[in-house]
Amino acid sequence: MRVTTRKIAQMKRKSERIVMVTAYDAMSAGAAERAGIPMILVGDSLGQVVLGHDSTVPVSMDDMVSHAAAVARCAPSPLIVADLPFLSYQVSEEIALTNAARLLQEGGAQAVKLEGGVPVAATVKRLTDSGIAVMGHIGFTPQSVHQLGGYRVQGRTEDAAARLLEDALALQDAGAFAVVLELVPTEVAASVTERLSIPTIGIGAGPECDGQIQVFHDLLGLLPDFRPKHAGRYGDLAGVIDEALSRYADDVKGNKFPTEAESFSISTGSSQK
Ligand code: KIV
């Protein structure tokens, strides 16, 4: 049975740590499913890690719907949250509602995530009043990277930390079921976590959030030239993949692949034997 937002709320009440990872396709969704991870984010970070853009800004609704649908097909157990991409929810509450509906109806997600605090609280309320589960995202908000002037830790001054708490409370009051805290000092994330009754999910926000999220590619070392400070390194798969592909290329060039083991003869009959 699929994990529900109710289960996620219960995890905070029971002080059970919430694990979340991004997934974008059949491979990453299948891996998260097999690892028993309870919540997946189909993140608009797919703009960088899958589509090769330099930020999340160019990601479209069609991109999100198509990747969410792949994840939903291949991960039947976790709660799937899909990102509303840049400018898909700021123009009007009606447009936000239509786009959130697409992620649920065409993309198969159970919840949507959007960036911002007080300024988007009315939109969050409109979505939650319409029966849509919403996850907030504050601190560093990647869709505003150009306005924020780069990838920077947020909430470092007393004023900024107070604004962050105000944003978190506004999202909670608007009905969000959880909130991502990205690139926030540990102490600030800890005090927001303590003040909220909904779970906080941290990325670069220290160990005291109720849960943690990591980008699949960062966690597994799939991008050799990109190692953000906040990323856990639980694999170096780029090295493994590069080595395997080089060996394959060498074997084809040296006429060592395929061998009889990977080949078929007329006499064995079946196409797969
Ligand atoms: O798109 C994404 O991967 C995210 C995480 C960084 C939280 O929003």
Side-chain angles (χ1 to χ4, degrees), residues 22 24 41 43-46 56 83 113 115 137 142 180 182 203 213 215:
T22 65
Y24 312 100
L41 173 68
D44 59 356
S45 51
L46 67 83
T56 58
D83 264 333
K113 176 165 81 58
E115 297 182 5
H137 183 158
V180 167
E182 179 164 357
I203 174 163
I213 179 162
V215 170

Side-chain angles (χ1 to χ4, degrees), residues 50-129:
V50 179
L51 302 179
H53 297 302
D54 64 1
S55 76
T56 58
V57 171
V59 175
S60 69
M61 271 306 300
D62 285 346
D63 292 332
M64 292 309 305
V65 166
S66 132
H67 285 274
V71 170
R73 282 191 288 272
C74 301
S77 307
L79 178 76
I80 297 172
V81 183
D83 264 333
L84 279 164
F86 183 57
L87 290 192
S88 68
Y89 53 92
Q90 294 91 337
V91 175
S92 74
E93 289 176 19
E94 273 58 43
I95 293 174
L97 197 53
T98 307
N99 284 328
R102 281 195 70 195
L103 292 176
L104 269 55
Q105 294 180 313
E106 298 170 47
Q110 287 75 54
V112 301
K113 176 165 81 58
L114 51 74
E115 297 182 5
V118 172
V120 295
T123 302
V124 171
K125 178 145 174 41
R126 181 69 194 275
L127 298 183
T128 57
D129 282 350

